[in-house]
Amino acid sequence: MNNDVQAFTIEELLTDESDYLIPMYQRNYAWGEGEINQLIQDVLDYQERSHGAGKPQTYYIGTLVVYIRNDGLLEVIDGQQRFTTLTLLAIWLKNNKRANATAPELENYHILNLGFESRLISTNTLTELFQGVDTNKLLSEKFNNDLIKGYTLIGNFLGEFDETKLNNFCDYLFKHVQITRIKVPDDTDLNHYFEVMNNRGEQLEKHEIIKAQLMSVLNKIEDTQEKSRSLKALNLVWNACSNMERYVQYGFNTVQRDSLFGQGDWGQFSVGTFEELAKLLDKKQENTSSGAVDSEGTALSLAAILDGAIKKRPEEGDEGTSERFNSVINFSNFLLHVLRVFKKDDVPLDDKQIIDEFHKAFIATDEAIPKVKSFVFALLKCKYLFDQYVIKREFTQAGDGWSLKRLRWYSKESVSYVNTFSDGTAENEDGFDGANRRILMLLSALHVSTPTLAYKHWLNGALKYLFTAQKPESPISANEYLKNLEQLARKFVFNRFLAEGEGQNYFQMIYGDNSSPENQIIVRNQLPHEKLRFGAIENNFVFNYLDYLLWLRDKQEDPVVREFEFTFRSSVEHFYPQHPMDGHAVMEPETLHRFGNLCLISHSKNSRLSNFQPKAKQEHFAANIKQKQIDSLKLYAMLRLLQRSREWKAEEVLEHENEMFAVLFNAVSF
């Protein structure tokens, strides 16, 4: 790996033969209980995740930016609080007999490699702690009280661990937690760099580190013109794609948009290779964004990259601003989706592992240069597809809601957003009918079921299809895209959430051979009741997919159903309560926990309504229904059945459940 950007395990960092120095211009150690406990808890959380996965998974803990001084010392210019805390943590473990007795990683930790410039008190404090001096003997003005406090807080947290837990923590911390060390170039203006870091108020973003890594690969190109052209393309594409709230077209000037996305259109993707892309972007352009290369394509310092991240140029026109749309994912996690689509390999969709995954894909590999070029092209293509064919939250004067829109060029003075699958005319912008609305509803059902930024397998399935299907001469078909999404949704439900045993994994369902028997939709004579009972439902998409099917079935007949929108409802509610109030009878557990008595509502409503009787809940939701609003279409069906039956007992639970099972089962051959 390029020595300017290098990943270290914590064991490698602390036993590194280099001497690290925290300079005078850095503030004193200032982490308190909140920051220290969070760092340790993050390690524990990822250790537990690794245990659940059955194999160690690397946890990326942040960055350490250093500058090589003339005397050979590595001056720490970013990440000093984290590095100091890791040092204090290792010292505490070294001094703890339970940890030190069985942790081989601590045997090599016999030299302290961190010091403080012109701060003798701080250096002496760290040295005394490293030598095992009791903290009670260090409580004087001769020692740094903040370092002693940090050391004590670590002890308070870890002191509760038994020997097994402590040793497992040591093993994971030293072997599987990584920090990325970045050396800034020799000619870096440190005063300017430090000013930039202070302005940011945060560490380097992970995607900035990835960008620096990919630039280091392209810097190895021997041909000067090719290197300049390639670096410029990487920089422009990266800057255009990194703003997930803005359509990618607005990351380029108008001349570049005409070349890349169709003159007088801006809604096509007409480039076929990285070489074609680089040539188009290498033409003399005006108003190119600042970043990691200058006008000649020369690589700039890391400080310049950061400086460019602060001084964003104004966009052309107000349509490119970020306030209108909110993305369902951030850029670091999006990069992992692109990497998985690009490699067709089971890349973890969690940005805690992004540094390691990109290192394996491009740094520690043969033919790194062509692979980086191909990835840059894939990134631009995926961002274009994401913008055109994946939902966003749109904010307008009329309110906010899910949208599926593309950029449409009308004239030099007129560019707007229209439904992706429409001709842009008013009669096709209704928003409730047609393939565009159907795709939007299914995508939003998938998204609200997995609201976290990590592990959005539905998004990866959509991008994989779009990336393969899109060709310059062949636009994406609404019907084929919808067909693919519905097949993917059925696989998630029937081949995983409702399958016998663990079911298929996501990568197999998305990238497997659709013609093979193991990748077909599993069909049964009846749905598995045990996987649809309270406490056994693996994912809320089972509820949301059912709501999607109910919307398809009833939207033409009922305006409440027609105008239904998926929202973030995370609480599984018992319609007949588990703990009824006012002396009402307790329902038998066999009936109480059946799927026919369950629905999704928001967490706040669950807290308020959980112990109410069904009729009281019906009265509560009546006002919403008048406004054509309801949390769940399954809940709406339950309320309508209650209105007909005038009671909610075992018979109604079973009747509703059988109706819902019929809707789900019929979807298998949908």
Side-chain angles (χ1 to χ4, degrees):
M1 185 175 183
N2 189 304
N3 287 330
D4 290 341
V5 183
Q6 189 170 1
F8 285 84
T9 65
I10 301 307
E11 180 181 10
E12 290 169 341
L13 175 68
L14 297 175
T15 58
D16 182 23
E17 294 182 356
S18 301
D19 288 320
Y20 296 84
L21 186 73
I22 296 176
M24 271 298 296
Y25 58 77
Q26 291 280 18
R27 63 174 177 161
N28 287 318
Y29 182 69
W31 272 20
E33 184 174 10
E35 295 91 347
I36 291 172
N37 287 0
Q38 187 62 59
L39 181 145
I40 298 174
Q41 189 60 55
D42 286 346
V43 175
L44 287 169
D45 289 346
Y46 221 82
Q47 176 190 350
E48 181 63 27
R49 182 179 296 183
S50 293
H51 178 74
K55 60 181 180 180
Q57 296 183 347
T58 301
Y59 171 45
Y60 164 75
I61 202 169
T63 55
L64 179 67
V65 182
V66 299
Y67 173 78
I68 305 178
R69 296 175 17 151
N70 292 334
D71 58 9
L73 295 176
L74 297 185
E75 186 173 311
V76 178
I77 55 179
D78 187 46
Q80 63 110 345
Q81 299 285 335
R82 181 173 280 101
F83 190 9
T84 305
T85 302
L86 289 169
T87 300
L88 290 172
L89 179 56
I91 291 173
W92 189 91
L93 292 169
K94 174 179 174 292
N95 292 336
N96 184 275
K97 292 181 180 179
R98 289 181 301 152
N100 197 17
T102 56
E105 300 84 9
L106 293 168
E107 294 178 3
N108 298 323
Y109 191 40
H110 53 266
I111 297 176
L112 193 63
N113 65 355
L114 178 64
F116 300 83
E117 182 181 37
S118 301
R119 289 176 181 166
L120 188 59
I121 289 178
S122 296
T123 299
N124 288 343
T125 304
L126 208 59
T127 302
E128 294 291 302
L129 291 172
F130 187 79
Q131 292 174 351
V133 177
D134 192 284
T135 54
N136 292 325
K137 298 180 180 180
L138 304 178
L139 301 177
S140 73
E141 295 180 354
K142 295 181 180 180
F143 300 99
N144 185 308
N145 186 62
D146 291 326
L147 289 171
I148 296 169
K149 179 182 176 182
Y151 181 85
T152 303
L153 289 169
I154 290 169
N156 292 342
F157 195 115
L158 298 183
E160 302 296 324
F161 291 12
D162 60 32
E163 186 171 335
T164 300
K165 185 174 182 180
L166 194 60
N167 290 332
N168 289 339
F169 175 77
C170 283
D171 180 75
Y172 186 79
L173 171 69
F174 289 115
K175 292 181 179 178
H176 303 295
V177 177
Q178 285 191 357
I179 191 167
T180 298
R181 189 186 72 184
I182 301 174
K183 292 180 182 178
V184 298
D186 294 340
D187 58 353
T188 300
D189 181 345
L190 291 184
N191 290 329
H192 175 65
Y193 182 92
F194 192 65
E195 179 185 353
V196 170
M197 297 308 298
N198 278 338
N199 287 339
R200 287 169 63 89
E202 58 189 16
Q203 282 209 322
L204 282 172
E205 294 279 357
K206 294 165 189 168
H207 62 80
E208 292 169 328
I209 298 168
I210 298 299
K211 182 180 180 181
Q213 289 179 332
L214 300 186
M215 284 178 59
S216 70
V217 172
L218 296 185
N219 261 315
K220 296 176 183 178
I221 298 174
E222 295 180 358
D223 183 271
T224 304
Q225 184 178 9
E226 181 190 353
K227 177 166 70 174
S228 171
R229 179 183 296 164
S230 299
L231 285 168
K232 182 180 292 185
L234 185 155
N235 180 65
L236 289 173
V237 168
W238 203 271
N239 289 345
C241 294
S242 60
N243 188 338
M244 297 300 295
E245 315 298 320
R246 180 186 66 183
Y247 278 53
V248 71
Q249 289 92 328
Y250 284 101
F252 302 94
N253 63 41
T254 54
V255 177
Q256 292 167 337
R257 291 176 211 166
D258 285 340
S259 300
L260 298 176
F261 307 107
Q263 186 168 2
D265 188 306
W266 294 358
Q268 304 176 14
F269 189 78
S270 54
V271 186
T273 64
F274 175 84
E275 286 68 26
E276 185 182 351
L277 169 67
K279 288 179 180 178
L280 287 172
L281 294 177
D282 193 42
K283 295 177 182 179
K284 187 66 176 178
Q285 305 286 359
E286 298 177 356
N287 298 324
T288 53
S289 58
S290 60
V293 292
D294 62 17
S295 59
E296 300 301 321
T298 305
L300 299 179
S301 68
L302 188 60
I305 298 176
L306 295 170
D307 201 20
I310 297 169
K311 300 175 181 176
K312 295 291 186 183
R313 67 181 177 88
E315 303 302 331
E316 299 178 21
D318 59 3
E319 287 294 330
T321 58
S322 302
E323 290 79 9
R324 180 165 178 172
F325 296 101
N326 183 251
S327 174
V328 298
I329 197 168
N330 64 10
F331 185 52
S332 291
N333 280 289
F334 181 72
L335 284 172
L336 286 169
H337 284 273
V338 179
L339 184 61
R340 182 186 268 200
V341 168
F342 172 72
K343 291 181 63 180
K344 298 182 177 62
D345 195 11
D346 196 2
V347 174
L349 299 177
D350 183 348
D351 71 347
K352 287 188 176 69
Q353 303 182 60
I354 190 172
I355 303 295
D356 186 51
E357 289 301 320
F358 270 79
H359 174 243
K360 290 189 296 186
F362 300 110
I363 310 302
T365 182
D366 296 330
E367 300 183 346
I369 291 172
K371 288 181 180 179
V372 169
K373 289 180 176 181
S374 296
F375 176 79
V376 172
F377 172 78
L379 173 61
L380 180 60
K381 182 176 178 179
C382 282
K383 183 58 164 65
Y384 161 81
L385 294 168
F386 174 85
D387 290 341
Q388 303 284 101
Y389 301 105
V390 176
I391 58 164
K392 294 174 179 59
R393 198 70 180 174
E394 183 177 10
F395 298 86
T396 63
Q397 291 181 346
D400 67 285
W402 301 116
S403 73
L404 183 65
K405 293 186 175 180
R406 59 186 170 88
L407 192 64
R408 180 178 174 86
W409 187 97
Y410 291 96
S411 69
K412 291 182 178 180
E413 292 76 29
S414 178
V415 181
S416 67
Y417 301 99
V418 298
N419 284 345
T420 295
F421 296 106
S422 75
D423 60 10
T425 57
E427 59 268 23
N428 280 288
E429 294 299 310
D430 182 307
F432 290 108
D433 287 314
N436 202 82
R437 182 66 179 182
R438 191 159 163 176
I439 293 169
L440 179 149
M441 289 294 286
L442 186 51
L443 288 174
S444 57
L446 286 158
H447 173 54
V448 299
S449 305
T450 314
T452 59
L453 293 173
Y455 295 106
K456 287 186 177 297
H457 294 285
W458 68 266
L459 175 58
N460 194 251
L463 278 177
K464 186 259 183 182
Y465 168 79
L466 293 167
F467 190 82
T468 304
Q470 194 279 335
K471 294 177 176 58
E473 69 282 359
S474 168
I476 299 297
S477 161
N479 290 334
E480 289 301 313
Y481 183 32
L482 176 61
K483 179 180 176 181
N484 178 269
L485 289 174
E486 288 182 333
Q487 182 186 42
L488 187 68
R490 291 196 297 273
K491 286 181 182 178
F492 284 3
V493 172
F494 297 108
N495 287 14
R496 183 178 176 93
F497 304 146
L498 301 183
E500 295 178 3
E502 294 184 1
Q504 293 180 3
N505 65 54
Y506 290 103
F507 185 80
Q508 180 185 8
M509 288 187 283
I510 296 170
Y511 290 86
D513 181 3
N514 289 328
S515 64
S516 62
E518 68 271 11
N519 214 38
Q520 298 301 312
I521 301 297
I522 297 172
V523 181
R524 295 188 183 85
N525 293 326
Q526 61 181 13
L527 295 172
H529 292 230
E530 70 280 0
K531 283 210 167 183
L532 284 166
R533 291 181 61 81
F534 180 73
I537 300 172
E538 179 181 342
N539 191 286
N540 283 343
F541 184 59
V542 172
F543 289 102
N544 288 320
Y545 180 60
L546 177 58
D547 275 358
Y548 171 74
L549 297 173
L550 291 170
W551 176 78
L552 285 178
R553 187 189 71 175
D554 299 334
K555 65 186 178 73
Q556 299 299 336
E557 310 297 329
D558 191 327
V560 176
V561 177
R562 177 181 171 83
E563 297 184 26
F564 173 71
E565 181 181 83
F566 286 100
T567 56
F568 294 99
R569 306 148 302 154
S570 58
S571 294
V572 177
E573 164 80 347
H574 287 79
F575 193 53
Y576 192 94
Q578 297 185 76
H579 309 289
M581 300 185 299
D582 302 327
H584 288 282
V586 176
M587 183 173 279
E588 287 292 324
E590 174 61 28
T591 302
L592 178 69
H593 299 311
R594 293 185 73 105
F595 188 67
N597 194 46
L598 305 177
C599 60
L600 276 187
I601 65 173
S602 68
H603 179 74
S604 60
K605 288 181 181 176
N606 182 272
S607 299
R608 297 198 309 270
L609 303 175
S610 59
N611 294 328
F612 286 15
Q613 284 293 298
K615 288 185 178 180
K617 293 175 181 177
Q618 184 181 42
E619 294 173 1
H620 173 85
F621 285 109
N624 297 96
I625 292 173
K626 286 183 179 179
Q627 299 296 321
K628 301 178 184 178
Q629 297 174 354
I630 191 66
D631 282 47
S632 158
L633 293 183
K634 184 179 187 298
L635 170 62
Y636 186 48
M638 299 167 91
L639 292 169
R640 287 184 294 176
L641 176 57
L642 174 61
Q643 188 173 19
R644 295 193 302 270
S645 299
R646 299 183 181 275
E647 59 183 0
W648 191 262
K649 295 183 179 179
E651 292 80 4
E652 285 74 28
V653 171
L654 186 60
E655 179 182 345
H656 173 69
E657 180 173 279
N658 287 335
E659 180 189 359
M660 297 300 102
F661 280 4
V663 173
L664 276 174
F665 185 71
N666 288 337
V668 174
S669 55
F670 182 72

